[in-house]
């Protein structure tokens, strides 16, 4: 089954973590997360999905890189600075993608990228330079695809990890609970047989 991501005009349309496994066996998992800035949603709901996203970001040990999307019309906002500081505190590698570059005059865009680049120099977790992107004009898409492809595991590695090593922490806990229940049931059955 092929899943498609909904693209909406309204900020706040992504309200949960959406996982996309790429390849068979999966060699890469991409996660679409709710934004952390402005959204057309109740403040309480925005706070809930922000907490979920932050928990996910700080607790995933196998997270290779976070692509932070910055609107090129706005530049770096306080919410972006806070997110980058959060990623720094938790040792998460990240890279900035400047979106909607087609909506800004080329000279203004060049200046804005320089300003953002200068401000990003104070952060240590950045891997690589800013990626300018226009989905509408399809500019920068191949560069971004190439960068993302660099995080993909080889098929051989992915097949080797398809066993118990790939099971994440939550799944391990769930399996332990099942094993405990199973052991208790077996113990009760033995007691009843006596």
């Amino acid at each position: 089954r092929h899943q498609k991501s909904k693209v909406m005009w309204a900020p706040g349309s992504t309200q949960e973590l959406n996982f996309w496994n790429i390849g068979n066996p999966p060699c890469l998992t991409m996660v679409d997360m709710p934004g952390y800035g402005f959204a057309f949603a109740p403040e309480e709901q925005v706070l809930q999905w922000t907490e979920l996203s932050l928990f996910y970001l700080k607790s995933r040990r196998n997270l290779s890189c976070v692509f932070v999307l910055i609107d090129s019309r706005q530049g770096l906002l306080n919410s972006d600075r806070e997110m980058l500081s959060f990623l720094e505190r938790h040792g998460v590698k990240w890279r900035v993608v400047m979106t909607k570059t087609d909506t800004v005059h080329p000279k203004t865009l060049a200046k804005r990228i320089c300003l953002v680049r200068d401000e990003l120099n104070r952060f240590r977790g950045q891997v690589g330079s800013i990626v300018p992107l226009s989905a509408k004009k399809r500019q920068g898409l191949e560069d971004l695809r190439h960068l993302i492809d660099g995080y993909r595991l080889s098929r051989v590695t992915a097949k080797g990890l398809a066993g118990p090593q790939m099971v994440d922490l939550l799944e391990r806990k769930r399996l332990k609970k099942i094993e405990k229940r199973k052991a208790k049931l077996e113990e009760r059955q033995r007691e009843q047989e006596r």
Side-chain angles (χ1 to χ4, degrees):
R1 182 179 124 192
H2 294 282
Q3 294 178 323
K4 293 186 179 179
S5 180
K6 286 186 179 179
V7 178
M8 309 274 288
W9 68 269
S13 56
T14 302
Q15 298 184 2
E16 56 190 22
L17 301 179
N18 296 303
F19 293 81
W20 308 94
N21 288 326
I22 298 164
N24 189 11
C27 300
L28 176 72
T29 300
M30 293 181 64
V31 182
D32 180 21
M33 304 178 78
Y36 48 83
F38 175 78
F40 290 116
E43 191 174 325
E44 184 179 297
Q45 192 175 14
V46 174
L47 182 62
Q48 283 178 340
W49 76 56
T50 300
E51 286 179 2
L52 172 68
S53 295
L54 295 177
F55 175 77
Y56 178 83
L57 288 171
K58 71 181 181 181
S59 63
R60 292 301 293 191
R61 297 288 171 231
N62 61 345
L63 189 61
S64 298
C65 185
V66 173
F67 287 86
V68 180
L69 306 181
I70 306 288
D71 188 330
S72 63
R73 299 171 300 180
Q74 305 290 324
L76 215 54
L77 301 174
N78 283 335
S79 55
D80 299 318
R81 290 179 192 93
E82 290 171 8
M83 175 56 75
L84 297 176
S85 295
F86 175 86
L87 295 173
E88 291 284 309
R89 277 194 310 276
H90 294 284
V92 178
K93 301 267 186 236
W94 52 271
R95 187 170 199 146
V96 167
V97 177
M98 299 269 306
T99 63
K100 301 179 180 107
T101 57
D102 57 287
T103 61
V104 181
H105 189 274
K107 284 184 180 179
T108 306
L109 178 63
K111 287 178 187 176
R112 191 155 294 146
I113 288 175
C114 286
L115 289 171
V116 170
R117 185 184 321 124
D118 291 345
E119 194 168 348
L120 293 178
N121 285 335
R122 71 183 181 107
F123 297 101
R124 296 179 314 272
Q126 184 177 10
V127 291
S129 58
I130 296 170
V131 179
L133 181 75
S134 168
K136 190 175 184 179
K137 292 192 175 180
R138 308 192 66 75
Q139 295 169 336
L141 286 176
E142 282 307 311
D143 294 337
L144 183 60
R145 285 183 181 127
H146 179 73
L147 292 170
I148 292 170
D149 196 48
Y151 292 103
R152 189 167 44 111
L153 297 173
S154 70
R155 281 199 182 287
V156 174
T157 305
K159 283 183 181 179
L161 292 176
Q165 300 100 329
M166 196 160 175
V167 179
D168 68 359
L169 181 61
L170 294 174
E171 184 66 12
R172 285 186 198 153
K173 285 182 180 180
R174 188 182 73 77
L175 291 173
K176 278 185 182 180
K177 283 182 182 178
I178 291 171
E179 288 298 321
K180 283 182 183 178
R181 286 185 202 147
K182 198 174 182 181
K184 283 182 182 179
L185 282 173
E186 289 173 357
E187 190 175 318
R188 285 183 192 160
Q189 286 176 348
R190 278 186 245 136
E191 286 177 7
Q192 288 176 354
E193 289 175 359
R194 292 181 194 166

